[in-house]
Amino acid sequence: MNAPLVIVGTGAAGYALLRALRQIDRDRPLVLITRDDGAAYEKFHLARALGARTRPRGLVLATVEQMAHRYGATILAHRHILRIDRLRHELVMREGRHGYGQLVLATGAAALREPGLRGTAASQALTLGSLADYAYLRSELAGRNRVVVLGGGLAGCELADNLARSSCHVTLLEPANQLLAETLPALSAARVAQALQAAGVQVMTEDGIQRIDQGPDELELTTLAGVRFPADLLVLARGVVPRTELARDAGLAVARGIVVDPALGTVDPDIFALGECAEIDGRLFRLAEEIEAGAQVLAEVLCGRKRRMRWPARLRRLQIESCPVAVCEPPPLAGEWHEAATQRGVRAVFRDRRGALRGFALLGDQVAVAERLLGELGR
């Protein structure tokens, strides 16, 4: 009997690939292995769910049993993979070994911790990178409402806004001199900061957290500037880091993510990678649409067809109710931003040296032209 195709991970990438494969081949033996309970949920909507006070079970789209039945797959939950035995085509787990014919790593990304964080309560800093994180954070919020969010990027701004909408007193700390420093130009970032402040968020830039200590009844935080203040919870929103340990230990090429070619293949012809753990030519998968596009490509490749990844234009609509934002990040090339304020918004466009539109950021009433600008990219 031929060894099955094995997918490691049941997050956005793992389940997107399962769906895409079943659209092509209903009978191929498929095995998915995950370290959690295997429930399907929308990871990219966790911050919005906090603002809506959604219970954790309300985020579950399907249980592991439902996914296994619906797509005719074997899904092994709560398994701990120790390493990949490439020579024997086996996964070595605490629970035993499992063979594979082809292997797809869809291990996702983990919330980035703050390595320099000190203090007696440093281990109590929370993150929001999974359904389990969401459930724990929500339980910790019961009866508490003073929350500090560290990180003023996309995730931090979304989280701060949604916590404020759920009646929390929120302080947002960002070490850079503006919010969204890697995403928005100055005027647009300032408008987002103003909107968050109007929603009740205290915004502090050019500062971070150096210590978190346990007081008698609350946490005591000390910022990099030496400011001390009490809080109930500290949530880290400094971004994510691809989970690459299995690939690195197996001798596969790893940079920021697992290095794959446009067909999602690694240096091992029988091992592939997809989703937030992978990168193509230095570019990471960040959005749900990119993961879905990659899943369609990889499904066809695994079924013997020739396909290559073509990146869709990145259009992200931030989950910030106090200030609608649509961003299409420009590629890493020479150019400059041009910003224009309107009465109820900001339009920022990024043009390359030839004057071609390569990206944009739209706030407020300008969000309405996002689809039109998408069609003008590169012209």
Side-chain angles (χ1 to χ4, degrees):
M1 182 176 178
N2 293 331
L5 166 62
V6 175
I7 302 169
V8 178
T10 56
Y15 277 149
L17 180 58
L18 174 61
R19 292 190 297 269
L21 282 165
R22 282 297 181 239
Q23 290 174 357
I24 301 172
D25 187 340
R26 297 294 303 177
D27 302 317
R28 182 176 185 175
L30 300 177
V31 176
L32 286 81
I33 301 177
T34 181
R35 63 182 181 178
D36 59 24
D37 64 5
Y41 67 96
E42 293 183 325
K43 175 182 178 179
F44 298 100
H45 292 162
L46 293 178
R48 179 179 295 170
L50 270 180
R53 300 184 179 182
T54 305
R55 294 181 178 180
R57 66 170 178 259
L59 295 175
V60 175
L61 303 174
T63 65
V64 65
E65 294 83 6
Q66 290 170 327
M67 292 298 291
H69 175 73
R70 186 177 301 167
Y71 294 102
T74 298
I75 305 179
L76 306 177
H78 302 295
R79 299 298 199 275
H80 300 84
I81 300 174
L82 303 176
R83 63 184 178 88
I84 302 169
D85 188 333
R86 291 170 57 188
L87 185 62
R88 295 186 177 183
H89 273 55
E90 290 180 338
L91 295 172
V92 181
M93 305 181 292
R94 289 181 190 171
E95 300 79 9
R97 288 175 171 257
H98 199 295
Y100 67 86
Q102 291 176 305
L103 177 65
V104 179
L105 299 176
T107 47
L112 188 63
R113 304 293 298 185
E114 194 72 9
L117 193 60
R118 298 174 293 157
T120 60
S123 63
Q124 296 184 35
L126 306 179
T127 58
L128 185 61
S130 68
L131 185 58
D133 286 349
Y134 177 89
Y136 186 70
L137 174 56
R138 202 168 178 278
S139 70
E140 289 292 290
L141 283 169
R144 304 173 179 178
N145 66 358
R146 294 175 301 175
V147 183
V148 174
V149 176
L150 178 58
L154 294 170
C157 289
E158 289 179 343
L159 180 58
D161 182 71
N162 282 280
L163 285 170
R165 289 197 294 113
S166 64
S167 302
C168 290
H169 297 290
V170 183
T171 300
L172 177 60
L173 290 169
E174 168 52 48
N177 62 1
Q178 68 169 60
L179 299 182
L180 300 159
E182 296 182 0
T183 306
L184 297 183
L187 175 60
S188 300
R191 285 291 183 92
V192 172
Q194 292 168 8
L196 289 173
Q197 289 167 336
V201 178
Q202 180 182 3
V203 177
M204 298 172 62
T205 56
E206 298 186 84
D207 208 352
I209 298 291
Q210 62 168 304
R211 291 189 63 89
I212 170 173
D213 294 294
Q214 182 63 60
D217 302 305
E218 58 198 8
L219 298 176
E220 297 176 353
L221 305 183
T222 305
T223 73
L224 296 175
V227 178
R228 296 181 180 180
F229 57 91
D232 295 317
L233 298 173
L234 170 63
V235 185
L236 305 179
R238 300 284 286 157
V240 298
V241 57
R243 292 192 180 100
T244 61
E245 297 83 4
L246 279 177
R248 180 180 287 107
D249 292 346
L252 303 177
V254 172
R256 286 187 299 166
I258 303 169
V259 177
V260 295
D261 59 32
L264 288 306
T266 69
V267 294
D268 186 315
D270 292 323
I271 301 180
F272 303 80
L274 173 68
E276 290 181 288
C277 69
E279 68 167 75
I280 300 175
D281 294 328
R283 180 170 179 172
L284 295 167
F285 289 79
R286 293 183 180 176
L287 304 181
E289 293 82 3
E290 295 172 346
I291 293 173
E292 289 287 342
Q296 295 294 327
V297 170
L298 183 52
E300 296 200 39
V301 169
L302 292 170
C303 291
R305 303 175 185 176
K306 291 187 180 295
R307 281 291 306 276
R308 294 292 184 269
M309 178 71 184
R310 294 183 181 274
W311 293 94
R314 283 179 176 170
L315 178 61
R316 176 163 182 175
R317 298 180 186 274
L318 273 64
Q319 300 170 43
I320 300 177
E321 186 171 290
S322 55
C323 180
V325 180
V327 181
C328 178
E329 295 184 48
L333 47 74
E336 60 182 358
W337 284 100
H338 303 271
E339 295 185 275
T342 65
Q343 187 172 1
R344 295 191 300 274
V346 176
R347 180 184 299 198
V349 295
F350 184 90
R351 298 190 180 278
D352 62 22
R353 288 177 174 175
R354 297 184 298 106
L357 179 68
R358 304 305 297 269
F360 56 83
L362 307 170
L363 281 68
D365 60 357
Q366 294 300 300
V367 169
V369 302
E371 296 298 333
R372 178 172 65 80
L373 290 182
L374 265 182
E376 296 178 7
L377 287 177
R379 293 182 182 176

